[in-house]
Amino acid sequence: MKYQPINNQLFIKNRAKFTAQMKRKSIAIFNSNDTFTTGADSTLPFEQHSDIFYLSGADQEESILLLFPDAIDENHREILFLTETNKHIEIWYGAKYSKEEAKNVSGIKTVYWLSEFNKVFFDLMTEADTIYFNTNEHYRQAEELESREDRFIKKCKADFPAHKWEKSNQILQNIRGAKEPEELEIIQTACDITNKGFRRVLPFVKPGIMEYEIEAEYMHEFLRNRSDGMAYTPIIASGYSACVLHYIENNKECKDGDMLLMDVGSEYANYSSDMTRTIPVNGRFTDRQKAVYNAVLRVKNEATKMLSPGVLWAEYQKEVGKFMSSELLDLGLINKVDVQNEDPNWPAYKKYFMHGTSHHMGLDTHDYGQLKLPMKANMVFTVEPGIYIPEENMGIRIEDDVVVQENGFPINLMKNIPIEVEEIEDLMNA
């Protein structure tokens, strides 16, 4: 891992929050992600499952975390299972965690080798009534492959048919939304690295530059600052491509007079940042570009003020829609008749702003957190309104990451990233 060590007190606190909500005499199991082959002898880079990392800090393939607060043997209330390293693994792939290293990373006192899992697990299941399965129930999940977790659940149901089942996801949705101070510090680091990338790119962008060259500049800056790279597949979209919300080809030439939308975020210690900035390719906004840009910026600023404890996401989105409708009226993109005759299920503003304004952010770019329940302090949200005008060959989105406060306005983790028209122009023409 490139990132600096994380204080294991974070993972100790996270486990305590999870186990406090478990039923009596229950076990919870969390598996690492698979390592995926690309064919022949090649594999994709390993990326740890967010849940096992959140609860243990273990950042290694084939790890298993077992939580059993009511285990008779106190040493078996938290167990981390790992692949045993050997000389062959050390020579070919590098050493894996030793037991002592794993204890230091996780704060878990009992570490066994993976080869011991079946025996220990069977023994503990004789003490338990219920097992918590870690199913993926994220509201945007789109699983097509059978995961390591899926295979474990299938085998466990066959081997222990008399046990009751519960879902870890409901607990995780409740506890992962509000962030601990250590998590906020890590996310701030990810945002600071993204800031460095954006400032590197501003003077680099010129007419004739290819979108993928800009992507490479970001990656260079991210990697040299201990990031593992992009938190998600970046969008580097010039001209009309900015109106394609999930444009990721990044293969077109940036042309004079076009706007360039960049939805990019660095990852640090498995935590995400999520930034969008839109800049003029030639370094100067036209009057029209400036008008649309400032309209989006005003909506972002008003939306940010609304994020506070007790607010419901659905009501928040409706209020943001009112601000956006006002701006679109002023820009001449919709008229009063459009608003008067709008479908409540698809308001007039949706023609030019068709996506949500905010989502939870943390270990996952679209992080866990209850969208149907009131917001809480220390939740991290993106704020990302946009206006997309295909007929004008222009899409503008602006996005920051903010922390909800118990009192007052949210803290903007991206407050140091240039956002005003004048500052962007100055830095592009320095």
Side-chain angles (χ1 to χ4, degrees):
M1 287 71 75
K2 300 180 180 70
Y3 55 85
Q4 298 282 11
I6 300 170
N7 190 319
N8 63 25
Q9 289 301 308
L10 170 61
F11 311 117
I12 292 170
K13 285 190 288 186
N14 290 345
R15 289 195 297 277
K17 286 188 289 186
F18 186 91
T19 55
Q21 296 190 37
M22 291 174 66
K23 292 187 173 181
R24 286 194 69 253
K25 298 185 71 174
S26 62
I27 288 177
I29 297 288
F30 301 89
N31 284 278
S32 289
N33 278 334
D34 282 304
T35 300
F36 293 101
T37 180
T38 62
D41 62 346
S42 298
T43 60
L44 294 171
F46 173 71
E47 186 169 337
Q48 183 59 290
H49 194 295
S50 298
D51 294 331
I52 191 172
F53 185 83
Y54 175 80
L55 294 167
S56 72
D59 204 352
Q60 184 171 291
E61 66 278 11
E62 298 185 326
S63 304
I64 299 176
L65 173 66
L66 184 152
L67 301 177
F68 188 10
D70 296 320
I72 295 170
D73 184 345
E74 290 185 7
N75 293 319
H76 286 165
R77 291 176 183 175
E78 296 182 339
I79 308 174
L80 192 59
F81 295 88
L82 302 170
T83 298
E84 183 175 7
T85 193
N86 56 45
K87 287 296 181 184
H88 175 81
I89 291 173
E90 288 180 20
I91 291 169
W92 285 90
Y93 305 105
K96 304 300 181 183
Y97 287 134
S98 67
K99 288 186 177 182
E100 195 59 36
E101 287 170 335
K103 291 175 185 178
N104 291 335
V105 165
S106 65
I108 294 172
K109 296 177 182 178
T110 304
V111 179
Y112 289 136
W113 297 131
L114 195 59
S115 57
E116 301 171 86
F117 176 77
N118 288 336
K119 178 179 180 297
V120 174
F121 181 57
F122 179 87
D123 179 56
L124 293 179
M125 283 292 275
T126 64
E127 300 177 22
D129 294 331
T130 303
I131 181 163
Y132 280 82
F133 290 139
N134 193 29
T135 51
N136 184 356
E137 298 181 30
H138 191 279
Y139 66 99
R140 298 182 66 155
Q141 74 86 19
E143 280 192 3
E144 294 185 7
L145 296 175
E146 186 178 58
S147 68
R148 189 179 186 86
E149 206 77 77
D150 295 330
R151 295 193 299 276
F152 170 79
I153 292 170
K154 185 185 295 183
K155 184 176 187 304
C156 194
K157 286 181 176 180
D159 291 347
F160 302 97
H163 281 71
K164 291 176 284 190
W165 309 328
E166 290 288 342
K167 300 187 294 185
S168 297
N169 187 263
Q170 291 178 335
I171 299 177
L172 290 164
Q173 289 281 4
N174 287 331
I175 66 175
R176 276 184 55 181
K179 305 300 189 277
E180 293 291 336
E182 297 93 331
E183 294 180 283
L184 296 176
E185 185 177 340
I186 295 169
I187 297 170
Q188 181 67 75
T189 299
C191 291
D192 291 344
I193 295 171
T194 300
N195 178 26
K196 292 178 180 180
F198 183 59
R199 289 178 180 273
R200 179 190 181 99
V201 159
L202 281 174
F204 178 78
V205 172
K206 298 286 188 298
I209 289 286
M210 301 299 289
E211 293 166 348
Y212 53 76
E213 293 182 85
I214 298 166
E215 181 179 351
E217 292 297 307
Y218 277 108
M219 184 61 87
H220 183 134
E221 195 64 29
F222 291 177
L223 290 176
R224 70 193 295 265
N225 282 282
R226 290 183 173 271
S227 167
D228 272 334
M230 304 287 183
Y232 51 91
T233 305
I235 298 169
I236 312 291
S238 59
Y240 179 85
S241 296
C243 297
V244 181
L245 297 182
H246 291 156
Y247 171 83
I248 56 173
E249 286 79 6
N250 304 343
N251 61 3
K252 295 182 176 58
E253 180 183 338
C254 300
K255 297 182 179 177
D256 191 11
D258 279 349
M259 293 293 282
L260 172 67
L261 186 156
M262 298 175 290
D263 190 335
V264 182
S266 81
E267 172 268 1
Y268 181 78
N270 292 313
Y271 282 81
S272 297
S273 63
D274 190 355
M275 176 202 76
T276 307
R277 291 293 187 268
T278 311
I279 65 175
V281 170
N282 62 16
R284 297 291 178 191
F285 289 81
T286 66
D287 289 344
R288 177 61 170 175
Q289 290 168 348
K290 187 184 297 185
V292 177
Y293 184 94
N294 283 330
V296 175
L297 183 56
R298 284 191 292 270
V299 173
K300 186 194 79 73
N301 291 339
E302 291 299 324
T304 301
K305 295 175 188 176
M306 295 168 54
L307 293 171
S308 61
V311 170
L312 290 170
W313 188 89
E315 295 303 315
Y316 160 75
Q317 185 62 42
K318 287 180 184 177
E319 292 301 311
V320 173
K322 293 176 184 177
F323 288 122
M324 182 59 79
S325 293
S326 176
E327 294 293 348
L328 293 176
L329 285 165
D330 290 344
L331 290 169
L333 291 169
I334 61 175
N335 57 47
K336 291 182 179 179
V337 174
D338 294 327
V339 176
Q340 290 167 358
N341 297 331
E342 69 183 10
D343 179 350
N345 295 317
W346 192 257
Y349 77 83
K350 287 284 190 180
K351 180 178 180 182
Y352 296 100
F353 173 41
M354 60 293 295
H355 57 78
T357 307
S358 296
H359 58 76
H360 287 275
M361 202 198 69
L363 275 168
D364 295 298
T365 305
H366 295 97
D367 206 31
Y368 284 2
Q370 293 283 6
L371 286 179
K372 296 178 182 179
L373 297 179
M375 296 177 187
K376 298 178 182 178
N378 294 325
M379 286 183 167
V380 179
F381 285 99
T382 63
V383 187
E384 50 180 307
I387 295 176
Y388 310 91
I389 318 172
E391 59 270 27
E392 296 183 30
N393 213 40
M394 175 170 56
I396 294 176
R397 181 166 67 251
I398 306 172
E399 177 181 20
D400 281 337
D401 304 334
V402 306
V403 187
V404 175
Q405 298 298 290
E406 194 66 59
N407 298 293
F409 294 148
I411 294 174
N412 187 352
L413 299 175
M414 293 185 160
K415 63 181 182 298
N416 295 324
I417 301 181
I419 198 167
E420 298 289 344
V421 165
E422 293 75 14
E423 186 178 10
I424 289 171
E425 290 184 336
D426 288 346
L427 290 169
M428 292 188 75
N429 294 281

